[in-house]
Amino acid sequence: MLPQALNITALLSSHFPSGIRSRASLPHSDTRRTGGHIWEGAADGASSRSLQERQRHRGNKMASKQRPVAPEGEVKVFRKHMDNYSPWQLMKLSEHFRPDMVYVIENDIPIVLQELTSRRIITAQKAQDYSDWEKNHDSTSAAEKLVRDIFAVSSAARLGLWECLFTLQSRWAHPNLHGMLDEIIQNGHNLLQEILLNESGLTLDPELKACQVEHKAKFRDLSGRMKENKTPGQAEGQSFPITNRYVELKVISDHRFKKQTHQEHEALAAAGELNEYRLQRRIKGELERIAPDRLFRWCFQSHRLPLTVIVSGVAGVGKTTLVQKFIFDWAMGKHYQKFAFVFFFKFRDVNEEKRSLESLLCQTYPHLRDKLPRVLEDPEKLLFIFDGLDESKTDLKLRRGEAHELCMNPGDVKPVTVIVASLLKQTLLKGCSVLLTSRPSKLSSLEAGVFHRVASIVGFLSKERERYFSMFFGDERVSREAFAYVRDSQVLYTLCYNPSYCWITCTALKPCFTAKAERPQPAPKTVTQLFVSYVTHIMANHTQERPEPQRMRDTLINVGWLAEYGITNRMLVFQPHHLQVANVEFSPFLSGFLVENPQAEGSSQVTYSFLHLTIQEFFAALVHYLDYKEDKFRDTMAKSRSCKDGDYEIFSRFLAGLSHLATRRSLEEYMGKFSAKATQKVIGWLDEMNYEELRSRDDPEGKRRLMNVLNLLFESQNKQLVCDVVGKDTHLDFSELYLMPVDCTVLSYVLSCCEKIQRLTLDSCFIQNEGLERLRPELHKVRELSLSDNDLKDEAMKNICSVLKHPNCRLEDLRLEMNMFTEACCTDLASALKENQTLISLDLTKNKVRNNGLYALLEVLETPQCKMQKLVLQENGLSDDSCERLCSALSRNSTLQHLNLSANVYTDRCAEDMHHLILTSPSLTDIRLSLNDFSPDMEGHLRGLQREGLKIHI
C-alpha cells in the first residue's frame, strides 16, 4: 500500500518533550547557510503539524542566514515516513530522483561523505576513495559513482542516503535538495502513481487509444529529427536523429520575471546571467536546475503540481529545440504519459484572425476532428504548448479586469492570445496544463502569478559547448583545436552559451581549422570578425548559387535595408510583402542568412526571418557601409542613442567593428569597396562618445554603459581612436559591477592602447583568476590598482607576481583586501616584491596571511632596496608568536611609515615585543592596533608611547 499523507502528532510528541530542542551546529566552510528551524513556533503547538507542513515551512525559510543541524528526532520522523514505502517503491522513487541527487551531491561531496560516514552508511576508507576519485576526475563523476554504488548495495543503504540528505538540508540551501525532499514528503503518493503511469500509459477506450496512437506517430515524425540551417547549394539543411544530436540545455528556476537593466542587449544579458548562474551555483545559490521532463513536477516554491509553466530564453538559446525534445519524448512514451494528448502551436503561425480553440485544433490536427469532443472531455489529461510568445502581435489578456474577454467554451471565437489567456486562467478547459516559451523581453508585460512555475534556459555550460563542437566537426583533433581557440578568445567563448552562436561560430571557424580549406583564414577575435567570417564562408564555399559581384552587392543591400527596417521597428518575422517592398527575392543564395517559415503543414503561405537575431543586426549595420545614405544613418543613430533597453547594442558593435579596414577586407573581396563616408561618420561617432561623462558616474548603470562604450572601441580595433577617447593617463572605476571574462578581455585591449593608467579600481567585480589572467598583460602600466573583494585565491597570486616582476612595472599602490589569499602564496609574493622597484603600498586586509605568510613578507622589509612605505595586514590571523620576528625586521627597515595590524589576535603576551617595535622602528609614523585582544591596561600603555611624529591607533 502506498503511504498516504502522514500525520505525526503522536510521533512528534514522543520525540520532542515540551520545550526541548536539539540544536547542534556543524559549520562548513564556503557553504551558504540557510534559515529557519524545521520545527518552528511555540512548543505546545509545534507537535501538531504534519511532516508535510514542516517541510513546507522549511522551504519558505530558505532565505534566512542561520540554520542548525536537523535534530535526530526529526530524522526519525522522516525515517518513519520513508518506512511506509516498500523496498520496491523506495527503489522506484530513488531512481526517479537519481539526477537530482547527483546534481545536489556534486556541489559539496565532502560534506555528504562526512554525513554518510558518521551514519555508517559508508566506511572512512570508502569516503577517502570517493574523495580521491573527485580529485582525479571531477565532482560530477564522483557523485554519480557514489549514488550508483549506494543504490546497488541495499534498500537500507538507499534509505540511509535519503536520511543523510534530509539532515543536510537543515544547513544547506540547495533548492534541488529542498525540492526533492519536499516532493517525496508532500507528493510521494501521486509521484509513485505517475512513475508507474509513465511505464504503462493511460488507460483509454479503444477508439480514443487508436486516436492517441495516430497522434503520437505524427508527433514522432515531426519531432524525431533535428535540422540544421541549410546553406547555399543544399536542397535543404542536414538533419540528424534528435536522440543523436540533442545536447542538454540547462534550465533553471526563476522566482520572478526579470527586466533587463543597464542598457544591455538581451543576448549579452543572458551571457551575464549564465556567468552569474555559474558563480551562484559554486556558492550554492537559489537556482533550481530543472530537467525538461520535470517542468510539470512538484514545485516546492508554490507547493503544488504546476498546471501553467513559462520557459524564457533569448533568441537562439534553444526554446523551440527544448520543446521539440519534450514532445518527442512524450510521443515515445518516455515521460508525462499522464497527458493523453499534447497540442503544439507556434504563435507566429496563429497570429492573424479570430478563431475558436476547436477550429484551431481541427485545422492543425485534422486527424482529431471526429474525436475532438471526446478528447476535450477530460482537460486534466491535456497539455497545450505555445512556442514564441514574443512573436505574438498582441499581448495576452492576463491582467485583472480583463476576465470579461476570456473564453468559457472551446467553441468561443476569440483572438488566439485570448484563447491562450483563457487556458492559463483556467476559464477554458479547467484542469488542463499549459506550457509557454518566450524571449525575456516579453515577460515584463505578463502577470507572474498566473504561472505556477517560471523557468529560464541558460544555454550551454562548458561541457555542453565542448560536446557541441565535437559533434559539429566530427574529427576529434579539429574539434579540440577549434574549441581551444574559442576558449582562449573569451569573446567567442562567452557567446557560445547560445546554441545558435555555437553553430555560427563553428561554421565560421570551419575554414580556419579543417584541412580542406585551401587558404586557412585567420581566426576571428571580435564579434564582428566572427560574423564577417561566417558571411565570407557562405559566399566563398557555395559558388554555384553565388550571383555576380554587382548583383550580389545589390542583393545584400536590399537584405540589409530589410534587416535595418526590422531592427528600427522591432520586427523579427517578415511577411512576403515586406520582402517585396525591400526588393528582396528569396533565393538559394540567401538561405544562408534568411529562412522560410511555413505557416502550417501543407500550406503555401510562408513568413521569413533571419537565421538569428544577431545576423539581422549584422546586415542592418553592414548596409550603411554598402549603401550609405546620410539621412537614414542619422535617423538610425538618433534611435540608437535614444534607446534605453539595449536593442541597438550588438548593432552598434557591428557598426564599430566594420569601420576597421582589416576586419572587413575579406567582405570587400566579394562586395566591393565600403563607403569611406560611412567609415568616417562611424569613427566620428565613436570619437564623440560621452566617455568622460560616463567615467565620472558612480552608479551601476553608468559603469555598465561605460563598459559598453569600451566594447565598441574593442570592436573597432582602432588603437589611435582608443587612445584619443580614453586618454594617455586615465583612471577607470568599475567597482561593484559584475565583470565577465569577456569584459576583462575588452578592458585589457583598451589598457593596451594606453601608455599609462593612473588608477584602475575593480573592487567587487568577481573577476576571479580567469578575469585576472585576461588583464595581466597590461596591468604593469597601472599606477594604483585595486582588486579587493574578488574571491581571488592563491593561484591568482601568480598573475599578480608576474605584473610586479614586469621590467616596466609602474605599480605603486596595490590593494588586495577581502580576497582568499593564504600563507601558501606569500613566498611567491615576497619574491616578486624583492624584484619590484616601484611598489610603496600593499593592502592585504581580510585575507589569511597568518604568521608564516607574515614571515615571508618580512624578508622583503629587511632588504636594503625595499621601498615599501605602507603595509596593511588587518584581520589576517596574526598572533603573539609573530611579534618578535616583526619587531626584528622593522628595526632594520628605513622606509615603512604606515603599519596596520588591527583586528588580529595579539594579546598582552606580546606586550614587551610590541613596546620594543614601537620604540625601535626608525621610520614608522603611523601604527594601527585596534580590535586586537589587548587588555584595557595594555591599550593604555601602548597609547602612552605615542609621540610627535608617531600616531598610535588603538
Side-chain angles (χ1 to χ4, degrees), residues 12-178:
L12 288 175
S13 298
S14 64
H15 289 310
F16 298 107
S18 179
I20 298 177
R21 299 288 186 272
S22 171
R23 295 301 183 201
S25 179
L26 180 62
H28 181 72
S29 61
D30 200 30
T31 303
R32 178 174 293 180
R33 304 200 176 276
T34 57
H37 305 315
I38 293 181
W39 318 119
E40 190 143 354
D44 58 353
S47 63
S48 64
R49 294 186 184 180
S50 68
L51 181 58
Q52 289 90 331
E53 290 171 320
R54 306 295 183 186
Q55 186 68 20
R56 183 180 300 115
H57 183 66
R58 175 188 291 112
N60 292 337
K61 286 287 187 176
M62 279 181 60
S64 41
K65 294 182 179 178
Q66 294 297 323
R67 184 177 219 115
V69 174
E72 191 59 32
E74 298 172 11
V75 180
K76 290 179 181 178
V77 173
F78 176 71
R79 184 185 304 132
K80 183 70 175 177
H81 177 75
M82 298 298 287
D83 281 343
N84 282 278
Y85 297 110
S86 69
W88 178 83
Q89 292 167 347
L90 182 62
M91 179 194 69
K92 285 290 184 183
L93 287 169
S94 299
E95 286 295 339
H96 174 79
F97 284 111
R98 183 194 287 256
D100 297 87
M101 285 185 170
V102 170
Y103 179 60
V104 167
I105 293 170
E106 72 179 0
N107 274 273
D108 202 333
I109 288 180
I111 194 174
V112 177
L113 294 176
Q114 179 184 347
E115 188 65 32
L116 287 171
T117 305
S118 69
R119 293 184 171 277
R120 300 186 178 181
I121 308 301
I122 60 174
T123 64
Q125 181 57 53
K126 266 290 185 184
Q128 186 60 51
D129 292 344
Y130 292 121
S131 182
D132 293 342
W133 184 280
E134 181 186 18
K135 291 176 184 176
N136 296 328
H137 297 83
D138 56 55
S139 58
T140 301
S141 64
E144 288 173 344
K145 178 175 172 56
L146 174 62
V147 173
R148 182 172 60 250
D149 291 351
I150 289 178
F151 279 17
V153 173
S154 65
S155 180
R158 284 193 291 271
L159 181 58
L161 179 58
W162 276 106
E163 291 177 7
C164 165
L165 295 174
F166 180 85
T167 303
L168 290 178
Q169 72 166 337
S170 298
R171 51 189 159 92
W172 194 2
H174 196 300
N176 282 75
L177 174 58
H178 288 273

Side-chain angles (χ1 to χ4, degrees), residues 511-779:
C512 306
F513 288 94
T514 56
K516 294 180 182 178
E518 296 179 6
R519 290 187 303 162
Q521 298 176 8
K525 295 181 179 179
T526 69
V527 180
T528 308
Q529 289 171 5
L530 171 66
F531 280 80
V532 166
S533 296
Y534 171 75
V535 173
T536 303
H537 171 76
I538 295 298
M539 293 188 292
N541 291 281
H542 305 285
T543 54
Q544 291 181 347
E545 303 292 342
R546 192 171 72 223
E548 293 300 317
Q550 185 56 49
R551 186 181 169 198
M552 181 168 63
R553 183 183 179 105
D554 293 341
T555 298
L556 294 180
I557 285 173
N558 294 337
V559 169
W561 287 125
L562 177 69
E564 213 262 3
Y565 175 81
I567 294 298
T568 55
N569 291 277
R570 294 178 172 241
M571 184 179 294
L572 302 176
V573 179
F574 301 92
Q575 301 296 328
H577 72 267
H578 290 126
L579 272 68
Q580 292 173 3
V581 171
N583 200 24
V584 173
E585 183 178 345
F586 190 78
S587 64
F589 169 67
L590 289 184
S591 64
F593 316 118
L594 279 170
V595 292
E596 291 180 304
N597 307 305
Q599 290 290 77
E601 187 179 0
S603 171
S604 60
Q605 293 183 327
V606 295
T607 59
Y608 300 88
S609 61
F610 285 85
L611 279 178
H612 190 271
L613 169 62
T614 320
I615 291 179
Q616 181 177 342
E617 291 168 309
F618 178 82
F619 278 101
L622 176 65
V623 73
H624 290 286
Y625 288 92
L626 296 180
D627 187 27
Y628 177 73
K629 298 181 187 299
E630 179 79 33
D631 56 339
K632 287 195 172 185
F633 180 80
R634 184 177 59 250
D635 292 346
T636 299
M637 297 316 295
K639 289 182 179 179
S640 170
R641 280 189 288 269
S642 64
C643 179
K644 301 300 182 185
D645 56 11
D647 282 356
Y648 286 84
E649 183 56 37
I650 289 288
F651 164 82
S652 298
R653 292 191 189 184
F654 286 143
L655 204 60
L658 290 170
S659 69
H660 186 229
L661 298 179
T663 294
R664 72 197 198 194
R665 185 172 293 128
S666 60
L667 282 179
E668 289 185 318
E669 293 178 8
Y670 294 96
M671 301 178 186
K673 289 294 182 182
F674 282 22
S675 167
K677 186 69 172 176
T679 304
Q680 179 186 348
K681 285 287 186 181
V682 170
I683 292 176
W685 163 64
L686 292 170
D687 195 31
E688 294 168 4
M689 286 281 177
N690 54 345
Y691 172 80
E692 287 298 332
E693 177 191 338
L694 290 174
R695 193 181 68 172
S696 64
R697 289 178 59 171
D698 194 39
D699 59 297
E701 180 178 328
K703 291 176 181 179
R704 174 49 64 189
R705 290 182 67 182
L706 176 59
M707 180 53 69
N708 286 342
V709 169
L710 299 189
N711 270 284
L712 296 177
L713 296 175
F714 172 71
E715 290 294 327
S716 76
Q717 292 291 293
N718 187 331
K719 291 201 170 189
Q720 185 58 52
L721 175 64
V722 176
C723 191
D724 292 343
V725 172
V726 175
K728 294 184 178 180
D729 197 5
T730 189
H731 61 271
L732 293 165
D733 182 357
F734 289 104
S735 55
E736 298 187 6
L737 179 70
Y738 179 81
L739 294 183
M740 297 179 287
V742 65
D743 292 321
C744 294
T745 300
V746 169
L747 183 55
S748 181
Y749 170 77
V750 172
L751 297 179
S752 74
C753 301
C754 303
E755 294 180 15
K756 300 176 181 178
I757 299 95
Q758 179 64 22
R759 184 169 64 254
L760 177 61
T761 306
L762 302 176
D763 299 342
S764 305
C765 292
F766 298 100
I767 59 171
Q768 301 185 58
N769 192 49
E770 189 175 5
L772 187 60
E773 177 71 31
R774 302 291 155 193
L775 292 165
R776 177 187 53 77
E778 307 302 329
L779 292 181

